[in-house]
Amino acid sequence: ITGSGPVPVAEIDKMVTRTAVYSLSQFQIDFANILDMYRKKGYVAEMGADPGPKLDDQSVLVVPILVQRVTEIKILGNKKTKVKAILREMTTQEGSYFNFDNLRKDQQKIFNMGLFETVEPVGTPVGVGKLSLSLTVKEKQSGTVSAGIGFSNRQQLIGFAQLAETNFRGMAETVSLRWETGGITGRSTLELGYVQPWLDPKHTSLSVQLYDKVFVRFANRLNDQVPVGTTTTTQD
């Protein structure tokens, strides 16, 4: 058995019928079952060269398998997002065995980045056992600006402004800035955030927040449990 690739040889060996005399029809049935097993696992396999009894030794049966590999990966449609930021989300890489199930998972992980409206993969055979894979993406707006103003009897005039970019430098990094003013304290608050989703090859993420805030907490003892008939006007 040659070229079994991602499937152990022992698993394929169990599917080959042992007969004292070589049977072409039985060999074809076994090979069809082997290829179907690869298909169920998500791989694309075909019969390799020179199957059947070995010419120089008729006691040896050659079972050649050719499992399709990805020779290249093309990213199309990206204008801001860097190719590296997309490829690192994929388990499918150039030179790896092509697998439908892995590709579907890769497609979902890329979509979950929140940077694209659509992610469409297309595979094109470029030779025997070779596949060229292209992913066409449609980017969506990654920057947001928001602001608001309000008034209440307790907090008086309040306002805020916020800027956020979820694809900073084209590497799916998030940078945000939020400013607020007014409220009970009458002071302005500032928040600066940064998220790096890929700090190392192990997919360790880093989140940093710098802020200048004032928190005011109120507690009213009138809401506490007090004995019946007891009155108090003390407040904190």
Side-chain angles (χ1 to χ4, degrees):
I1 298 173
T2 62
S4 62
V7 179
V9 172
E11 185 174 345
I12 300 173
D13 186 67
K14 297 177 182 179
M15 303 179 67
V16 180
T17 302
R18 298 307 202 267
T19 56
V21 180
Y22 172 68
S23 169
L24 176 60
S25 60
Q26 184 60 54
F27 181 76
Q28 290 174 333
I29 293 174
D30 291 345
F31 218 113
N33 291 334
I34 292 172
L35 298 185
D36 186 60
M37 179 267 295
Y38 273 92
R39 181 187 61 80
K40 291 179 179 178
K41 291 180 179 290
Y43 298 101
V44 177
E46 57 186 296
M47 184 181 293
D50 303 323
K54 197 172 182 180
L55 295 179
D56 57 350
D57 187 352
Q58 294 292 309
S59 65
V60 177
L61 182 65
V62 180
V63 184
I65 303 169
L66 186 60
V67 185
Q68 193 174 66
R69 286 181 180 269
V70 178
T71 59
E72 63 176 350
I73 300 177
K74 299 178 182 179
I75 306 298
L76 308 174
N78 58 311
K79 298 178 181 179
K80 183 176 182 180
T81 310
K82 294 181 180 179
V83 172
K84 178 183 178 181
I86 300 175
L87 292 181
R88 68 187 180 186
E89 298 287 341
M90 301 176 61
T91 56
T92 304
Q93 297 292 329
E94 292 184 355
S96 65
Y97 292 105
F98 175 72
N99 185 284
F100 282 106
D101 298 331
N102 290 341
L103 181 60
R104 281 193 289 266
K105 293 178 182 178
D106 292 341
Q107 181 183 14
Q108 187 62 47
K109 285 191 291 185
I110 295 173
F111 185 79
N112 288 344
M113 293 172 68
L115 304 178
F116 309 106
E117 293 181 4
T118 57
V119 180
E120 298 295 337
V122 175
T124 304
V126 292
V128 180
K130 299 179 180 180
L131 182 76
S132 174
L133 181 63
S134 63
L135 284 88
T136 302
V137 299
K138 182 179 180 181
E139 293 179 329
K140 61 183 180 181
Q141 182 176 334
S142 58
T144 59
V145 178
S146 57
I149 189 171
F151 178 84
S152 69
N153 291 332
R154 182 176 182 181
Q155 296 186 329
Q156 303 301 313
L157 187 66
I158 58 175
F160 80 93
Q162 180 169 312
L163 305 175
E165 170 58 57
T166 57
N167 195 11
F168 182 60
R169 300 191 305 163
M171 294 297 293
E173 300 167 332
T174 298
V175 176
S176 62
L177 176 65
R178 182 180 178 89
W179 169 82
E180 294 183 14
T181 187
I184 297 174
T185 63
R187 288 188 53 183
S188 295
T189 65
L190 192 66
E191 294 181 66
L192 177 63
Y194 172 76
V195 178
Q196 166 59 270
W198 281 86
L199 194 62
D200 57 26
K202 296 182 179 181
H203 204 339
T204 305
S205 61
L206 170 69
S207 178
V208 179
Q209 285 186 311
L210 303 176
Y211 52 86
D212 179 13
K213 288 185 176 182
V214 175
F215 291 94
V216 180
R217 296 180 175 86
F218 296 90
N220 191 335
R221 291 183 180 177
L222 292 177
N223 294 330
D224 296 341
Q225 293 183 358
V226 294
V228 176
T230 302
T231 59
T232 177
T233 57
T234 303
Q235 293 184 353
D236 287 343

